[in-house]
Amino acid sequence: QRPTKLWFRRIHQKMANKMRRNRGITLPCLSLFAILSLLLDAASSFMTISQPNAFSRSTHSLQMVRNRGLEIREEGATPLPGGMTLYIKAGPDGKSVGDCPFAHYVRIVLHEKGLEYDVRPSTQDTKPQWLIDYYEGSMPALRHRKECYTESDVIAQYLDFFFQEPPLSGKKKLMAATQEAIDGFFPAVAKYLKHTPDGDDDDAALKQNLEGVLGRIEQHLSEKSGPFLVGDGAEFTLADASLAPKLFHMEVGLQKFKDNAINVSEQFPAVQEYMTAIFDRPSFKETLYPEETVVWGWSNAREN
């Protein structure tokens, strides 16, 4: 029996998923594992369709690799709500929610979508073995039954694509304009907060760099009639969900490590107004961790 059109569609979709997970890198540039996975998918699907009995043992072996340590998904091609577990960096006690702003971003998206999930703060010693073996232990990691996704942007886009209410992606051109405005913000924050000693010439240069990025965001926000980042600012989007935790880290870090060397409220009033509004959003407040956890995280970074 010949493979059906559904078989080809499945293989095509798996290739597209692999490319999306690798941020659009074309097939020749995929990792060896990704290519092997595609070949195993094709071989397993072909054997299942053509001779399901004769090759059942081989198919089972292939599926163990193909499923990357996860159980076989029982529903159809479209993911359904439920069965979600989010693995994130743990806090100082190894059990509480840690300070990762990228995990916070994903949790905001999950909250905005009204999706139920379990959160599993994990250390290097408490991560599940399948996450280490097949995903290099990368977190945040969203396990949705059989599937697992890492990288906060990939997870957020997965959630927004398959669970569309409310929609959190604006028009591409408007999202691109916003991305250009906020590009480089968190790297600038991280370099400034991590730098020691505070107040030297390098510190002043890093401060100036962060102020430059904040100036860009200030200009972008000043052009909006609404409180948010994209388009006219009327709608909350993934860009807001991503930026809010990073602004929180900046606010705490400036106060605790830099003696408020950048006065956001005076120098960047539109940014301050945006922070006040976004920090008051339920999805932000209900997924927030203590300031002390942020201080703990950056203190460790400043020592390394």
Side-chain angles (χ1 to χ4, degrees):
Q1 183 178 354
R2 286 182 171 277
T4 64
K5 290 182 180 179
L6 178 60
W7 181 83
F8 284 106
R9 285 201 297 271
R10 285 175 177 170
I11 298 304
H12 179 271
Q13 185 60 49
K14 288 177 184 295
M15 293 176 67
N17 289 340
K18 295 292 183 185
M19 292 177 66
R20 182 163 56 243
R21 290 175 191 169
N22 289 273
R23 296 173 179 258
I25 299 173
T26 54
L27 185 61
C29 299
L30 290 175
S31 66
L32 178 61
F33 180 84
I35 296 172
L36 177 61
S37 179
L38 287 172
L39 293 174
L40 290 172
D41 283 339
S44 178
S45 298
F46 178 78
M47 287 188 292
T48 301
I49 292 170
S50 60
Q51 299 187 43
N53 295 323
F55 292 98
S56 60
R57 183 175 300 177
S58 297
T59 301
H60 177 71
S61 298
L62 289 170
Q63 286 176 337
M64 290 181 65
V65 176
R66 185 181 65 183
N67 295 337
R68 306 181 86 178
L70 307 179
E71 74 270 16
I72 298 173
R73 188 173 66 195
E74 295 180 355
E75 75 266 22
T78 302
L80 300 174
M84 293 185 183
T85 303
L86 183 65
Y87 295 87
I88 64 174
K89 175 185 176 182
D93 61 358
K95 298 178 180 180
S96 60
V97 171
D99 65 314
C100 177
F102 303 100
H104 193 187
Y105 165 30
V106 173
R107 295 187 70 203
I108 289 172
V109 174
L110 285 162
H111 190 285
E112 291 284 341
K113 297 286 183 181
L115 295 169
E116 294 184 1
Y117 67 100
D118 294 326
V119 61
R120 299 280 180 86
S122 303
T123 66
Q124 188 61 36
D125 295 330
T126 61
K127 291 177 185 178
Q129 193 60 44
W130 59 263
L131 183 60
I132 297 171
D133 290 344
Y134 297 107
Y135 298 89
E136 299 179 348
S138 179
M139 296 189 297
L142 179 70
R143 174 174 175 171
H144 189 193
R145 298 189 179 92
K146 172 192 167 184
E147 302 294 335
C148 182
Y149 298 89
T150 60
E151 303 272 351
S152 57
D153 282 331
V154 172
I155 297 170
Q157 290 163 14
Y158 167 79
L159 294 170
D160 197 48
F161 183 82
F162 286 109
F163 306 98
Q164 297 183 359
E165 293 300 329
L168 297 178
S169 293
K171 294 182 178 179
K172 288 184 178 180
K173 288 185 178 180
L174 299 178
M175 293 290 282
T178 296
Q179 186 57 47
E180 185 176 348
I182 65 178
D183 187 50
F185 171 69
F186 194 63
V189 171
K191 289 176 182 178
Y192 184 42
L193 295 185
K194 287 168 66 174
H195 178 77
T196 56
D198 302 315
D200 66 2
D201 290 344
D202 289 338
D203 198 56
L206 293 171
K207 170 178 172 287
Q208 186 176 20
N209 179 55
L210 176 55
E211 288 174 325
V213 181
L214 283 168
R216 231 192 304 130
I217 300 174
E218 176 79 9
Q219 178 62 36
H220 182 77
L221 288 168
S222 299
E223 298 169 355
K224 309 298 173 186
S225 57
F228 304 119
L229 284 169
V230 176
D232 61 3
E235 301 293 334
F236 181 91
T237 67
L238 294 179
D240 300 291
S242 175
L243 185 60
K246 299 164 187 175
L247 286 167
F248 177 63
H249 274 246
M250 181 192 72
E251 181 181 65
V252 174
L254 287 176
Q255 179 183 353
K256 298 297 183 180
F257 301 114
K258 300 297 182 180
D259 196 28
N260 283 323
I262 299 176
N263 190 323
V264 177
S265 61
E266 290 186 4
Q267 295 176 249
F268 309 102
V271 174
Q272 182 62 62
E273 184 178 357
Y274 174 78
M275 290 167 61
T276 300
I278 210 76
F279 292 172
D280 195 48
R281 194 169 180 87
S283 61
F284 179 87
K285 293 192 294 186
E286 295 177 22
T287 55
L288 191 60
Y289 32 86
E291 290 186 7
E292 292 76 14
T293 301
V294 178
V295 174
W296 164 78
W298 286 109
S299 295
N300 291 337
R302 284 163 65 88
E303 292 173 1
N304 297 328

